[in-house]
Amino acid sequence: MTDALVLNDVHKSYGNREAVHGITLSVREGEIFGLLGHNGAGKTTTLRMISTLLQITSGSIQVYGYDVATQPEKVREVISYLPEDAGAYKDLTGRAYLEFISKFYTTGEEQKEMVRRGIELADLGDRIDSKVDTYSKGMMRRLLIARAVMPSPKLAIMDEVTSGLDVINAYEIREVIRSIARNGVTVIMSSHNMFEVEMLCDRVGMIDQGNLILLGTPEELKERFGAKNLEEVFVRAVRGS
Amino acid sequence: MSHLTNIVRKELKELLTPGSVLSVMAMVVLFAMLGGLVGGEVEKAKVLPAIALVDDANGETTLPDGTHWSLYSTVAKIYSGSIPEGKSIDDYVVRLTSTDLPDGSLDRAALQAKIQEKGINSAIIVPDEFSELIQGKKQAYLEQMYLYEAEGMFGSSPSIMASTVVGSLGTSLSYSLLVGVVGAEDYGFYSSPIKTGSGTMVNGKYVEDVTPSEISSQVSSQTMMVPIVIMIIIMMVGSIVISSMGSEKENKTLETLLTLPIKRTTIVTGKIVAAAIVGLVYGLAYMVGMSFYMNALTSEITSGVKLEDVGLGFDGPDYALLLLSMFLSIVCALGICMILGAFAKNYKSAQTMTMPLSILAMIPAFVIMFSGWYGSSPIIQGILFAIPFSHPMIAMQALMYNDYTLVLSGIAYMAAFAVVAIMVTVRLYSSDILITGLGQNRTYQRLTGKKR
C-alpha cells in the first residue's frame, strides 16, 4: 500500500508562536486516519496546511506525490477539504450549490452525473431545491459532506466532521465516510470525539500542544497503554508526556 | 463553462438579489420623483405671475408735452405678449385700492389681506403724488411690496416679475418724456449713446456675447453629475466587494472556495468582474435616475450657452477617454476593496472597512464639485491625483479644456495602480492572512508589539 499523504517534520508558526512542532506522519492510500487532540492542539492548523490554506513554516507535505508548498494547484485537484462549521452560499439552493462546485471539477455529462451523485449523497429529498439558509445544521452538514465527496477526491480532509450533530446525523455521516473509504478514498479527519475516532479510523495520531505524541492503530494504542478506550489512552499519554 | 464564468455567475447570483435590485430601482424612482418635483417647481416658476397694481388712478399722468401716459395701460402692454390663450389682462394685473390708517400712512395689513385674497404675492404701489411729481419733472417713487411665503426653490420668480414690470415702467415713461423733448428719431441715441459688447476667450477661441460666469454655470451644470455618480458607484461597489468577502468568512465558505481546484487569480478576477458588472448596472441605474433630476434642475436655471459653441463640448474620443477613466477607477476601487476585504473578519467588520474607501471617494467628489481641478492649489492637486477615483472627475473638466496630458497621465496612473492592487490582492489570497487575519501575522505583531 502506497502513502497518500506524507508529513515530514512540519512546523507552523504564527508570528512568534509555534503552533505545530515538527509533525512527521504518513497516511496510507484508502486509510481513514484520525487526528486526535483537544481544542487548540494544532489539528486544524495541520489540516489547513495539508489543504494548501496555510503556508508551511518549515518541513514538507506531500499529497499523492505533489508538494503542498510548490504544487498547491496540483494538490487541490486531488483533495477535498471540509472545514469545521463550514457553510454554503445562503442564496443558492442545495442543488445550485452542488452544481456550482461540480463545475470546477468537470463538464458535460460527467458534471451532471457528479451532481446526481451529490444529491444522492446529501439525501435531502425535496429540500435539495430549498435555499441553503433554510437548512438545519444536520441538513447543511449532509450537503457539505456530499459536496466534499461527490468529486471523488483521492484525499478527503475533514475537520470535526460530526461536531454539533445529533446521534442520527452523526451516525449517517460516519456511514458515508466508511463508504467512501471502501471505494478507495483516503480520509484524514480531526476530532476530539475519541469514541468516534475509535469506531471509524484505521489509524490515529494524537496531537498535544502542536506535538504528535502518539501514532498507531486504536488497538495498538489501547494495548500499549493498557487502556479500555482511546479516551483513556489520550489522558494517560498527555499526563505522561 | 470556465471557472471564471462559474465564479462570476455565482457572485452575480449573490449580489443581484431581488432585494438589492429593488433598492436600486427604488433609488431610480426616488431620483425620478425628485426630478419630477424640481420639474414641477420649474413649471410653477415658468407660469406668468400675477401682480396687484395699487394705483388708485394715481398713475394717469399728463406729461410736460401735453401727452397722456397711463401706468396701468403700460403694465397691461408689458403683460400683453405673455398672456396665455383664454386668459385676460385682468387675470394678471389686478387693480386694487388702498386704505390709509388714521395717521395717513398706508394700511399695509388691509392691503396684504386684499392681495392674499386674490392669490397674489407681489404688488406695485403707486403713491398719491406720483402724477404730480412727474408733471413737475421730479423723480417719482414706485414701491414694490412682496408677501414672503415659504415657497420652493424657485419661489422668488414673482418678485423678479414685479421688478421687471417696474423697470419697464421706467423705460416706458422715460421714452414718453424724452420723445417730447428730442423727438422719436433721436430717442435711441439719447437714451443709449454708448453701445457695449462683450466676449470671452475660451480655449484660445473668442466667443461673442458670452461672459465667463455664463460659461462657468454651464460647465458646472454639466460636470456636477460625474463626481456624484463616481462617488456613489465607488462607495456601492466597495461595499459590495468588502461585504462579499466578509460574508465568505462569516458563512465559512471561503476556506472551501480556496481549496477548490482553481487558481487564486481566478477567484480574485471572478469577484472583481462580478462586482464591476454590478457596479456598472447600479451606476447606470443611478445615472438614469440622476439625469431625470439634473435635467429638471438645470434646464431652466443655467445659461443658454451651448458648450459645443464655445469649444468646450465633448466628441467621440473624449467620451471614450472618460469611459476608460471611469472603468479604471472602478477597477482600482475593486482592487482596494479586495485588499480591505481580505482583512474583514465577518460581514459586520466588512461594513466598517468601507469607511476609508468612502472617504477616499468623497474627498475628490466634493473638491472637484466646489473648487474643480484647475481651481485647486498644487498640494490639493497632488492629493487628488494620488486618489485614483479623482481621475474620471478630473477628466470631465480636463477634456473640456483639451488637457489630454492630464487625462492620459491619470489613465496611466490608474492602470498602474490597478495592476499593483490586483497583484497585492493575489498575494494576500495566497497568504495566511486571509484565513488567520492580521493578528497572527509576524510583521503586524512586530509593528504593534502584540504577541499571542
Side-chain angles (χ1 to χ4, degrees):
Chain A
M1 197 179 275
T2 54
D3 286 334
L5 172 69
V6 179
L7 279 77
N8 186 20
D9 193 25
V10 173
H11 291 256
K12 176 65 190 175
S13 299
Y14 294 121
N16 297 316
R17 184 176 66 87
E18 193 169 61
V20 173
H21 310 280
I23 289 182
T24 298
L25 61 83
S26 59
V27 178
R28 292 166 206 141
E29 207 171 339
E31 190 175 48
I32 302 178
F33 187 91
L35 270 182
L36 283 170
H38 52 71
N39 293 334
K43 304 186 299 288
T44 298
T45 299
T46 305
L47 295 186
R48 280 174 168 176
M49 283 190 286
I50 298 168
S51 310
T52 75
L53 282 172
L54 293 180
Q55 290 171 343
I56 304 159
T57 307
S58 69
S60 69
I61 300 176
Q62 303 263 322
V63 178
Y64 280 90
Y66 297 121
D67 187 83
V68 165
T70 57
Q71 298 169 289
E73 282 162 21
K74 286 284 180 192
V75 171
R76 287 197 283 269
E77 283 174 15
V78 295
I79 64 162
S80 190
Y81 176 53
L82 181 58
E84 183 184 5
D85 292 334
Y89 299 107
K90 290 178 176 175
D91 290 315
L92 300 182
T93 62
R95 184 192 299 273
Y97 177 66
L98 294 177
E99 280 170 353
F100 167 66
I101 296 291
S102 67
K103 286 171 188 165
F104 293 115
Y105 291 92
T106 183
T107 53
E109 267 312 305
E110 262 187 44
Q111 183 241 327
K112 285 179 187 163
E113 179 51 38
M114 188 185 284
V115 175
R116 271 196 291 273
R117 192 162 61 246
I119 291 170
E120 196 182 310
L121 280 162
D123 194 22
L124 293 170
D126 294 344
R127 296 298 305 279
I128 195 72
D129 290 312
S130 300
K131 285 259 178 90
V132 165
D133 65 351
T134 64
Y135 286 6
S136 67
K137 190 167 183 177
M139 291 167 74
M140 175 69 89
R141 208 66 187 160
R142 275 154 62 168
L143 178 73
L144 292 171
I145 286 272
R147 186 278 296 164
V149 171
M150 72 175 185
S152 304
K154 286 187 167 181
L155 173 67
I157 305 157
M158 298 179 173
D159 194 2
E160 303 288 356
V161 72
T162 57
S163 106
L165 294 184
D166 60 40
V167 176
I168 301 291
N169 274 310
Y171 172 80
E172 285 177 358
I173 282 169
R174 281 195 288 270
E175 284 304 303
V176 171
I177 294 170
R178 278 197 190 98
S179 149
I180 60 167
R182 275 198 298 273
N183 290 326
V185 176
T186 309
V187 178
I188 179 166
M189 55 179 282
S190 78
S191 180
H192 47 246
N193 182 341
M194 309 286 167
F195 296 103
E196 176 176 274
V197 171
E198 194 173 337
M199 280 190 285
L200 204 55
C201 297
D202 301 313
R203 284 195 309 139
V204 295
M206 289 192 181
I207 298 182
D208 182 45
Q209 295 178 25
N211 295 298
L212 183 72
I213 55 171
L214 285 175
L215 187 65
T217 65
E219 291 310 317
E220 283 169 1
L221 296 176
K222 281 192 285 186
E223 197 179 312
R224 195 195 308 174
F225 284 86
K228 283 181 276 181
N229 52 47
L230 281 182
E231 192 171 60
E232 276 184 28
V233 172
F234 186 71
V235 171
R236 287 178 195 177
V238 169
R239 284 183 180 162
S241 64
Chain B
M1 184 189 292
S2 75
H3 294 168
L4 179 63
T5 317
N6 196 20
I7 294 240
V8 170
R9 281 184 60 171
K10 187 275 290 181
E11 290 288 325
L12 287 176
K13 262 186 199 169
E14 284 195 323
L15 298 175
L16 290 173
T17 58
S20 63
V21 171
L22 206 66
S23 68
V24 172
M25 296 307 293
M27 198 56 76
V28 176
V29 172
L30 187 71
F31 274 121
M33 280 169 64
L34 272 173
L37 278 175
V38 172
E41 286 295 316
V42 171
E43 288 305 312
K44 257 167 68 183
K46 281 160 79 175
V47 172
L48 187 65
I51 57 165
L53 189 62
V54 189
D55 67 343
D56 297 323
N58 297 325
E60 302 303 317
T61 309
T62 303
L63 300 178
D65 66 352
T67 55
H68 181 75
W69 185 82
S70 167
L71 190 142
Y72 171 74
S73 303
T74 307
V75 173
K77 203 172 162 188
I78 293 164
Y79 263 90
S80 61
S82 315
I83 293 172
E85 238 175 85
K87 297 278 185 181
S88 73
I89 187 66
D90 294 335
D91 294 321
Y92 292 96
V93 183
V94 179
R95 297 185 84 174
L96 298 173
T97 52
S98 62
T99 49
D100 287 345
L101 293 168
D103 64 359
S105 63
L106 179 66
D107 185 350
R108 289 186 187 276
L111 184 57
Q112 179 185 349
K114 283 183 190 173
I115 293 172
Q116 275 178 330
E117 192 188 326
K118 299 287 182 188
I120 299 170
N121 56 15
S122 61
I124 296 171
I125 301 167
V126 186
D128 295 343
E129 64 279 9
F130 181 85
S131 176
E132 195 181 315
L133 285 167
I134 296 294
Q135 282 169 12
K137 296 184 184 175
K138 286 185 180 160
Q139 197 174 38
Y141 175 75
L142 277 181
E143 182 187 339
Q144 298 158 61
M145 183 177 122
Y146 305 111
L147 304 185
Y148 177 75
E149 285 171 2
E151 289 278 354
M153 62 202 301
F154 304 113
S156 59
S157 55
S159 64
I160 294 166
M161 185 62 196
S163 301
T164 308
V165 168
V166 169
S168 299
L169 280 171
T171 309
S172 164
L173 187 51
S174 172
Y175 174 79
S176 300
L177 287 166
L178 275 173
V179 162
V181 179
V182 301
E185 282 175 13
D186 290 334
Y187 170 76
F189 168 73
Y190 280 100
S191 65
S192 180
I194 298 170
K195 189 181 172 186
T196 61
S198 66
T200 306
M201 288 293 291
V202 192
N203 270 354
K205 181 183 169 190
Y206 185 71
V207 188
E208 284 184 1
D209 300 326
V210 172
T211 62
S213 68
E214 287 171 331
I215 296 171
S216 178
S217 75
Q218 193 66 8
V219 166
S220 297
S221 73
Q222 295 289 306
T223 56
M224 200 190 287
M225 200 163 84
V226 168
I228 296 173
V229 170
I230 293 286
M231 183 178 76
I232 292 172
I233 294 176
I234 299 290
M235 287 162 77
M236 193 174 279
V237 165
S239 174
I240 287 169
V241 170
I242 297 179
S243 302
S244 158
M245 286 300 299
S247 294
E248 291 264 18
K249 287 192 179 181
E250 188 169 301
N251 299 331
K252 307 267 176 102
T253 48
L254 186 64
E255 290 184 33
T256 303
L257 191 62
L258 293 174
T259 53
L260 292 175
I262 36 171
K263 290 179 179 171
R264 298 281 154 92
T265 43
T266 307
I267 298 174
V268 172
T269 313
K271 282 186 174 290
I272 286 180
V273 168
I277 292 171
V278 174
L280 283 176
V281 169
Y282 284 10
L284 280 173
Y286 271 81
M287 271 192 159
V288 169
M290 288 282 286
S291 62
F292 280 118
Y293 174 67
M294 298 300 284
N295 284 344
L297 184 66
T298 57
S299 61
E300 289 300 314
I301 59 173
T302 52
S303 62
V305 178
K306 280 189 178 172
L307 292 177
E308 294 76 21
D309 297 344
V310 296
L312 297 177
F314 272 29
D315 52 20
D318 289 343
Y319 281 113
L321 283 172
L322 183 64
L323 276 176
L324 178 62
S325 187
M326 286 174 80
F327 173 75
L328 282 173
S329 76
I330 292 175
V331 175
C332 287
L334 292 170
I336 293 174
C337 293
M338 291 294 283
I339 293 168
L340 290 172
F343 299 106
K345 287 178 189 159
N346 49 37
Y347 187 81
K348 198 176 169 188
S349 76
Q351 293 298 314
T352 319
M353 286 195 168
T354 58
M355 183 67 82
L357 190 85
S358 302
I359 292 169
L360 280 181
M362 281 159 72
I363 291 171
F366 288 117
V367 172
I368 299 287
M369 273 195 290
F370 294 117
S371 304
W373 168 261
Y374 296 100
S376 300
S377 68
I379 294 171
I380 299 289
Q381 285 184 341
I383 294 168
L384 288 179
F385 198 92
I387 301 172
F389 323 133
S390 309
H391 292 282
M393 307 178 195
I394 296 169
M396 188 73 197
Q397 292 188 344
L399 288 169
M400 280 185 175
Y401 300 107
N402 297 330
D403 191 350
Y404 290 103
T405 311
L406 179 60
V407 178
L408 292 173
S409 56
I411 286 172
Y413 171 73
M414 284 190 291
F417 191 101
V419 168
V420 172
I422 290 172
M423 279 166 64
V424 171
T425 309
V426 172
R427 180 144 177 79
L428 275 176
Y429 265 64
S430 305
S431 74
D432 291 358
I433 285 178
L434 209 58
I435 304 297
T436 60
L438 265 180
Q440 307 280 22
N441 182 265
R442 186 174 297 188
T443 314
Y444 178 80
Q445 287 181 356
R446 202 180 302 134
L447 288 172
T448 57
K450 287 180 185 171
K451 286 183 184 177
R452 294 182 63 175

